[in-house]
Amino acid sequence: MSTAPAPAPAPKGPPPGGDSASPAPRGEREGARGNFRGERPAGSGGAARSSRGSAGRPGKAVRQIRRTLRRPMGPSPTAPKKGADYLPAAPTSNVVRVVPLGGVEEVGRNMFTVETNGDIFVFDVGFEFTSEDTSPGVDYILPNTKYLEVNQDRVRAVFITHGHLDHIGGIPFLMNRFGNPPIYTQNLSAVMIAKRQEEYPDMPKPNLVVVEPGSTHTIGSTKVTFFPVTHSIPDSMGISVETPYGNVIVTGDLKVEHDNDIPTAEEQKKWGALGAQKNLLFIADSTSAEIEGFSVPEQKVRDTLEDIIKTVKGRLIIGTFASQFDRMINIIRLAEKYGKKIVMEGRSIKTNLEIAQKIGLLKLDKSTLISSQEIGDYPPDKVLILATGAQGEEFAALMRIATKQHKNITLTERDTIVLSSSVIPGNELSVQKLKDNLMRNHVTLLHYRTSDVHSGGHARAAELVWINKQVNAKFFMPAYGYYSMTASHAKAVEQAGRPKESIIIADNGSVIDIVDGEKLNVHKERVPNAPLVVDGFSIGDIQEVVIRDRQMLAKDGMFVIIATVNLKTGKLRKSPDIISRGFIYLRESQDLLNQARLLIKKTVEDSTQGMNPVDLDFVKNTLSDTMAGYLFARTNKAPMVIPVLIGV
C-alpha cells in the first residue's frame, strides 16, 4: 500500500486475553476491533512453552512468526483495478469537464470536479464509513485523488457544501495529496472543519475562506456564486460556476421547504432566480430520489417533538444525529420551555453544542444542563436525555444505555425513547439491534415509521422534479447516492419531460466533457477510482492481496506450523509445534493434530531428501500446499497456512 502519514491513534490497552501463552502477532489489530483469539498449542513440544526466552523476551520462534506475518503473502491473481492508468490530458478551451471521484455509486465519499477556463474546482471532500461487509481493519473509505494529484497545478479551490462528514470527513487525509488548495465554505462548516482538524495536528492546516450566501468570487479565471439551500444542517449551500457556455449549478444535499407540497415563496424566489440565468449543467442530490412525493416538512417534526416533550410521562430519551443542529437546538429550547433538565450523552453532541454556542446559533441557560450523575436528583418527568447512537453504533450512548452498560443511566418501563432519525443505508441491521435491545427494557419506543419524529434532509422525487424544472439547465447529472438512487432521479425527471439524451448517469471516475456547450462526450475509460482507505497508520490504495488475506483470516483463520530442521540431514529435530487462530480449537482436535504432525514430518523429510544444501523456501512452499489440501479435506475450511521452518 502506498502510504501517507496518518494521525497516530490513541494508545491501546493490552490485547484481549486468549488461551495461548504466546502473544498474538503484533501485526493483528487490537482494541475495539479485537484480534484473533490465541489457542494454546496442544500436544508435546507445544509452542507455548518455547515461545519466550528466560527474560520474558519473545523467543526465536515467535520472532520468526512475526517476520513471516509481516511479509506479503504473494501476488494477487485479480485483474488490474478499473481506471488504474487513464489520466486524460487537460480539456481544450471549448470543453467543460466533470469528473465524479466518489459519491455517485454510494452514499458518502462525496467528491467531484468541474473544469473550465483551465481551472479545476473540487466539490466536497468526504469519506464513507465502514460497514459489516468492509474488509477487516479499514477505518474509513476515501475517494481516489490520483486524478487531482497529477493535475494539482490547475486545482484552484475546494468548495464544501455543508458540514456533514460525508462531505468534510476526508479533508485531514486528502488535502495535502493535491496541494492543499483553499477551502471555500460558510461559517458553520468552516468551524466544524477547524474543530475536527484539531484531532489531526500532524496534518496540514486547511486554508479556510468563509463566504456568504449570495456572494460572488473570482477564483482563478472563473466567477463562482454561492447560494443557500435547505438541508438538515445550517449554512448549507449550493454553488454556481460560470463557464463560457452557461453555469454549472451544484446543489450539495438539499430539500425543499413546502406547505402541503407547495414550495414556499422563499424557495420559489431562490430557484426562480437561478433558473432565469443561462444554465449549462445541473448536478443535484439523489439520496431520497427513490421515494415518491414531497418530504415531511421540518415544521411537522417540530410540532410532533413539542407534543412529546410537553405530554410524555416519565423520563424522555431522544436519539438523533449530532450534526442536525436545528433539531438539537429546537429540542433544547423546548426542554427549557417546559422546565426540563437536559443531559447530553455523546461526545459529538457535546462538541456540536459547543460549536452552536460559539457561533451564536444557541444561547443556553447553563442551569438547564445537568450531568448523568445528577439524574436522580430530579423527578423523571423533568429529565430529557439527548443522546448519540440512533444508528445503532456499538459504543455510542444509546446502545450502551440499551445494553445496560452505561454506568449512570438504567432504563425502566416508564421511559420513552424517541429515535429522531431515519436509517442510513447500510445501517439497517445495527438499528434493528438497537431497537431490539431497547425493547428488552420494556420502554415506549417511537421512531420515524411510527410517528413524525424525523424529516430527512434530502428532497424526494417530486421535490427534485420541481427543482429541475426551475433550474432548466441544458444538461443534468444526478449525484450523491447509490446508482439505484441516481437512476431513479434520472427516470423521475425524464418522465416529467426532460429529454433522455440530456441526462448523464455517471460512475465514479467517469470523465464527462461538454463540447462547445452543445455535445456530451462521456469517455470510455475512467480515471483512477478504486477507493483509498484509512487503515491504521496508512492511507492508500486497497491492495487486493492484503484485503484477500484479511478476508481469508476472518473467514477461516490461520494454521501456523513451527518446525526445526537439521540443515545437514533434512530431518526434524523434534515434533512440530502448531498454533491455530480462528480455525479449530486444538484441545478438541487431537486426532487431526496427530495426523497433521505425521504429515508435516513426512512432507519435510521427503522434500529434503537428497537436497544439499537444504532449501527452506522450497520446503515451506511444498509444506504449505500439502497442509492446505489436508486441512480442507478434513475440515472443509481453508485457513491460511503459515509454515515457519528454523534451520539448525
Side-chain angles (χ1 to χ4, degrees), residues 213-488:
S215 63
T216 298
H217 296 246
T218 299
I219 306 171
S221 305
T222 306
K223 284 187 177 180
V224 180
T225 301
F226 305 98
F227 60 92
V229 300
T230 304
H231 188 41
S232 58
I233 183 173
D235 281 1
S236 296
M237 70 178 190
I239 300 100
S240 176
V241 179
E242 184 178 297
T243 82
Y245 308 100
N247 301 325
V248 175
I249 294 181
V250 180
T251 68
D253 290 348
L254 87 165
K255 61 188 292 187
V256 173
E257 284 290 345
H258 61 93
D259 184 10
N260 292 324
D261 299 350
I262 299 175
T264 63
E266 184 179 350
E267 295 279 12
Q268 293 186 38
K269 179 181 178 181
K270 172 177 61 183
W271 292 106
L274 284 169
Q277 303 171 23
K278 182 182 179 182
N279 297 319
L280 175 67
L281 173 65
F282 183 46
I283 302 174
D285 178 18
S286 306
T287 308
S288 291
E290 294 173 299
I291 307 174
E292 295 294 329
F294 278 71
S295 59
V296 177
E298 188 64 30
Q299 185 58 50
K300 195 169 186 178
V301 176
R302 294 190 193 104
D303 293 342
T304 302
L305 288 174
E306 179 167 10
D307 186 60
I308 292 171
I309 293 170
K310 178 181 177 180
T311 61
V312 73
K313 301 299 181 184
R315 195 167 49 181
L316 179 61
I317 302 174
I318 301 178
T320 189
F321 298 118
S323 58
Q324 287 186 309
F325 280 80
D326 285 341
R327 190 168 303 166
M328 180 177 68
I329 290 167
N330 182 57
I331 290 170
I332 292 171
R333 286 173 176 163
L334 289 171
E336 289 185 323
K337 178 179 178 179
Y338 294 107
K340 294 181 181 284
K341 299 296 183 182
I342 301 172
V343 179
M344 296 286 184
E345 280 298 308
R347 185 170 69 94
S348 56
I349 276 187
K350 293 175 182 177
T351 298
N352 287 354
L353 176 64
E354 177 186 329
I355 290 173
Q357 291 176 291
K358 178 179 179 180
I359 67 174
L361 288 174
L362 174 66
K363 292 183 179 179
L364 179 66
D365 183 349
K366 292 184 178 180
S367 66
T368 301
L369 294 180
I370 63 172
S371 66
S372 59
Q373 294 94 324
E374 300 175 272
I375 288 177
D377 299 339
Y378 299 90
D381 293 357
K382 295 298 182 182
V383 174
L384 188 154
I385 300 169
L386 195 56
T388 58
Q391 295 301 300
E393 300 95 325
E394 182 180 0
F395 299 106
L398 266 180
M399 186 63 85
R400 288 188 290 111
I401 292 170
T403 55
K404 300 181 173 64
Q405 296 182 51
H406 196 287
K407 60 182 179 180
N408 296 316
I409 302 175
T410 302
L411 295 176
T412 72
E413 62 183 19
R414 290 192 63 206
D415 292 332
T416 298
I417 315 292
V418 177
L419 300 181
S420 185
S421 64
S422 58
V423 180
I424 294 175
N427 290 349
E428 291 83 1
L429 285 177
S430 57
V431 173
Q432 186 60 50
K433 289 178 184 177
L434 172 65
K435 290 159 64 177
D436 290 346
N437 285 320
L438 288 169
M439 293 303 290
R440 289 181 185 278
N441 293 278
H442 309 292
V443 300
T444 299
L445 179 61
L446 303 175
H447 51 83
Y448 76 104
R449 292 191 183 278
T450 61
S451 59
D452 293 322
V453 294
H454 176 68
S455 171
H458 304 273
R460 297 182 181 179
E463 295 166 79
L464 295 170
V465 168
W466 180 83
I467 295 172
N468 201 288
K469 288 183 175 180
Q470 296 299 305
V471 174
N472 194 30
K474 180 174 290 187
F475 299 105
F476 169 61
M477 188 183 92
Y480 303 109
Y482 289 109
Y483 188 89
S484 66
M485 298 171 180
T486 58
S488 295

Side-chain angles (χ1 to χ4, degrees), residues 590-625:
Q590 290 301 309
D591 179 63
L592 183 149
L593 289 177
N594 291 335
Q595 294 298 321
R597 285 195 174 91
L598 292 173
L599 182 57
I600 293 166
K601 185 175 188 296
K602 183 177 187 304
T603 302
V604 171
E605 295 183 352
D606 285 354
S607 60
T608 58
Q609 188 172 8
M611 184 183 289
N612 188 17
V614 171
D615 184 348
L616 289 182
D617 287 336
F618 172 81
V619 177
K620 280 193 285 187
N621 290 335
T622 303
L623 181 59
S624 179
D625 292 342

